[in-house]
Structures are given as C-alpha cells and as structure tokens.
C-alpha cells in the first residue's frame, strides 16, 4: 500500500448525502484510478485520470464525480444519484512512463456504508 | 471484448502442498498480464506480471505464473502453500482505451484457503 493513502478507512453516509473519498500519492505517478469492489464481482473501474486536469469515465461512472487539480490528488465524490453506493473503494496509480507496463499500485481502500 | 476469467471462486489446499490459481484471457494482440493479492480489508498488492520473454514469471512471496499462449492461460502457482497465503487473488489484463492509454481489466477473484 505504500505511497498511496486513502482516507477515511471507514465512512458512513445517510441516504441522499454526497460524500468525498480522498486519495493522495507521493510516488510522482501520472495516472490515477478509482475502482469499486463488491463481493463476487471483482474490481470495476469508475474513473481514471492520465494527467492533471483531465479524466475519463470508466465502466461504472454514473453517480460519481472526480477532479484532478493536482498530480498527487484524485478525490472521488459519491453523489446521491448513486443508487447502491455501499462498497469498498480502491484508488490506484501508475507511472505512465513511455514504454511502461502500466503496473498499478493500490491504496488501502475506503469502506463506504450507506445507512 | 478483452477480458480475463478466473474459473474458480474458491480454491482449498493443504499447507505444504502445491497450489494453482487459474486464469484465462481473451485479448487481441500480445497480452500484458498481472496477478495481484488482496488480504481482508486491504488494498491489492502486485505479485507479478508477464510482458514478453520467458513464459515462466517469478514474483513476490515465492509465487510464479506460467504464460501459455496456446491455451490462453496465465495460472498462478506456488510449490508449497503457506497458511499466510490465504487471501483473494486477482488476475488482470492491460486493455487499450485509446490515444496510447491503457486500463487494467480484472477477473472476479479467487479466494485461496490454505488449510493447516
């Protein structure tokens, strides 16, 4: 998990509230990713960003939003439009060097529970 | 669609026995394949990857994986399992997203239980 921090570790939210999950990396990586993990479904990509001030939707972006104002930070907002937000959220980053292999390195995760 | 499949939800093995966690892939072109491990309530840890070259790839914690092009497989192996190897294992493949960018597509994971 070293080099990528996610906070908080556990997060509780009432229905109808937006909540922001933090992801910070000190690895000087260019690209950052957000995944959602549900039991038996593996990891599904929510959003990713290859460079500052740019990001793209992944496979399940509806109900989520992101920003990438700084290279080291990629916060994820879970909005009230997300119908089933209870899940384990993982942030990852990769160097994106030319010719690189895109090995992703993961943070420790945030478990979000909607009450 | 480019993807990986992990056909077993769970694998049980006795401590000291060899273990295999299976992964098959479906990609166009040459695959970049990865294995990750996840312990409970933790992030994923990188184990190893296949890019090109030797079909037997060695990784962390004594794990290795064999790339088999004819069978489109990339099975994870370890000669002697430890109780501490009990975890969730994910296979992944690098998939192009356009303009020289890539993402990883993950399998659904295989839970490995090593029995003392």
């Amino acid at each position: 998990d070293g080099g990528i921090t996610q906070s908080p570790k556990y997060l509780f939210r009432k229905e109808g509230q937006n909540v922001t999950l933090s992801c910070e990396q000190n690895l000087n990586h260019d690209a950052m990713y957000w995944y959602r993990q549900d039991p038996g479904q593996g990891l599904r990509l929510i959003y990713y960003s290859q460079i500052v001030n740019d990001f793209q939707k992944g496979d399940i972006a509806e109900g989520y939003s992101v920003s990438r104002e700084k290279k080291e930070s990629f916060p994820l907002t879970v909005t009230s439009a997300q119908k089933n937000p209870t899940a384990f959220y993982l942030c990852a980053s990769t160097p994106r060097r030319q010719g690189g292999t895109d090995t992703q390195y993961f943070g420790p995760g945030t478990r979000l529970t909607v009450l | 669609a480019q993807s990986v499949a992990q056909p077993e939800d769970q694998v049980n093995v006795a401590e000291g026995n060899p273990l295999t966690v299976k992964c098959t892939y479906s990609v166009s072109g040459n695959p970049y394949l990865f294995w990750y491990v996840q312990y409970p309530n933790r992030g994923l840890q990188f184990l190893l990857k296949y890019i090109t070259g030797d079909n037997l790839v060695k990784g962390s914690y004594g794990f290795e994986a064999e790339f088999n092009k004819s069978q489109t497989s990339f099975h994870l192996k370890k000669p002697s399992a430890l109780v501490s190897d009990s975890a969730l294992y994910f296979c992944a493949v690098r998939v192009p997203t356009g303009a020289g960018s890539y993402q990883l597509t993950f399998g659904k994971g295989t839970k490995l239980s090593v029995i003392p």
Side-chain angles (χ1 to χ4, degrees):
Chain A
D1 299 342
I4 303 176
T5 58
Q6 291 187 242
S7 60
K9 187 173 179 64
Y10 297 97
L11 188 58
F12 298 90
R13 188 195 95 177
K14 292 182 179 179
E15 280 193 32
Q17 289 181 336
N18 292 356
V19 63
T20 297
L21 282 59
S22 170
C23 177
E24 303 277 334
Q25 54 98 359
N26 62 3
L27 302 169
N28 199 32
H29 286 177
D30 293 305
M32 298 184 74
Y33 306 81
W34 274 106
Y35 293 91
R36 169 180 172 140
Q37 184 178 14
D38 296 281
Q41 295 195 47
L43 276 68
R44 292 183 289 170
L45 183 64
I46 304 173
Y47 268 97
Y48 63 101
S49 169
Q50 303 287 352
I51 196 170
V52 174
N53 292 323
D54 187 49
F55 48 83
Q56 284 78 40
K57 293 181 179 180
D59 301 320
I60 56 164
E62 185 175 354
Y64 300 96
S65 65
V66 294
S67 62
R68 187 85 188 277
E69 298 177 358
K70 298 185 296 182
K71 186 175 185 178
E72 58 270 23
S73 178
F74 191 41
L76 173 74
T77 296
V78 184
T79 75
S80 57
Q82 169 51 233
K83 299 302 181 188
N84 186 21
T86 294
F88 191 50
Y89 290 87
L90 289 160
C91 179
S93 69
T94 189
R96 293 289 300 134
R97 290 186 294 269
Q98 187 173 6
T101 57
D102 297 279
T103 300
Q104 292 186 12
Y105 299 92
F106 284 79
T110 292
R111 186 166 296 281
L112 173 65
T113 303
V114 174
L115 304 173
Chain B
Q2 304 198 74
S3 62
V4 291
Q6 294 180 244
E8 301 158 318
D9 292 334
Q10 175 141 4
V11 171
N12 297 322
V13 63
E15 186 177 22
N17 283 3
L19 70 86
T20 298
V21 182
K22 296 180 180 178
C23 173
T24 58
Y25 65 88
S26 174
V27 301
S28 56
N30 296 320
Y32 282 24
L33 296 159
F34 301 80
W35 276 103
Y36 286 83
V37 61
Q38 184 182 35
Y39 298 98
N41 293 311
R42 302 290 298 277
L44 274 66
Q45 295 179 31
F46 170 71
L47 281 178
L48 51 81
K49 62 186 175 187
Y50 172 81
I51 306 302
T52 187
D54 194 347
N55 289 343
L56 186 63
V57 180
K58 294 189 181 297
S60 306
Y61 312 120
F63 284 93
E64 57 189 26
E66 186 172 9
F67 173 71
N68 188 317
K69 189 172 183 178
S70 62
Q71 297 185 6
T72 62
S73 66
F74 188 55
H75 300 332
L76 182 70
K77 300 181 179 184
K78 188 173 183 180
S80 178
L82 301 172
V83 173
S84 57
D85 293 329
S86 299
L88 189 58
Y89 290 81
F90 289 96
C91 182
V93 64
R94 192 183 80 162
V95 175
T97 56
S101 298
Y102 299 89
Q103 68 180 63
L104 291 186
T105 294
F106 288 83
K108 293 188 176 182
T110 298
K111 183 178 179 182
L112 173 68
S113 293
V114 180
I115 303 162

